[in-house]
Amino acid sequence: MARILFVMTGADHWTLDDGTQHPTGFWAEEFLSPYRIFVDAGHEVEVATPGGVVPTVDRASLAADANGGQDNADALERAVEQNAVLGAPVRLEDIDPSVYSAVFYPGGHGPMEDLADNADSARVLTFAVDSETPLGVLCHAPAALLAARRDDGSHVFSGYRLTSFTNEEEKQAGLADKASWLLQDRLEGMGADFTAGAPWQPHVVHDRTLFTGQNPASSTALAAEVSRALT
């Protein structure tokens, strides 16, 4: 059995370019699908957030049209509400990353708000890379990679082949022209070797011990790859 750390956003909004707050949080599927894969494989999952706040689910991720119908959406909402681990996060500031066998970052727009410049998250990410701990980062959560820098100011993940929610997907979602910055642009700007799959289709990229997934459809495939890395 491995002990797996889920680092999650504590934000309930994403500040847009005009200063307005877009309601968000974590994307339900991006937590629940990987959680189930890891737990079904016999692993233990713990959740950490900045300040130890209970993470907010993005209500859009519980909509019927995002889940193949109302019954599926209702089941997803119940699973979020009943998840004891999700409801009792620890403080990211107190995390000792050396006690975990893998680290996983679910997405949603929330990480764009509070993890893109979070020093405690950067500490966990840097330790994971340097210790060759499997690291899974999904959808908008690669925003957290932007904060990870070496003492000389260089980006820890510069030169890594990776993916994230793409500019094209942000455009199709209707938020690209409202955002103060786009994740794909920032990742490319820090020197990442960015690879984009078809919009809304599963796309997972593996480089060394970093595993990244492009979008919610990549949740299961990404978690399965991280799980295999633990065997």
Side-chain angles (χ1 to χ4, degrees), residues 29-110:
E29 179 185 359
E30 296 182 25
F31 168 78
L32 287 172
S33 292
Y35 175 85
R36 288 167 178 157
I37 286 173
F38 293 133
V39 170
D40 288 349
H43 304 312
E44 177 187 0
V45 170
E46 298 177 19
V47 170
T49 63
V53 302
V54 175
T56 298
V57 64
D58 189 322
R59 300 303 302 181
S61 70
L62 301 176
D65 59 0
N67 293 287
Q70 192 61 52
D71 288 346
N72 291 339
D74 291 344
L76 200 69
E77 184 167 8
R78 286 194 300 272
V80 167
E81 292 173 347
Q82 296 170 4
N83 189 284
V85 173
L86 190 61
V90 298
R91 284 167 37 93
L92 181 58
E93 296 85 343
D94 299 333
I95 287 295
D96 174 5
S98 69
V99 303
Y100 299 97
S101 299
V103 178
F104 195 90
Y105 278 66
H109 280 103

Side-chain angles (χ1 to χ4, degrees), residues 190-210:
M190 78 171 189
D193 180 8
F194 193 93
T195 170
W200 313 110
Q201 298 303 306
H203 181 58
V204 173
V205 177
H206 174 205
D207 185 350
R208 287 159 276 186
T209 55
L210 175 66

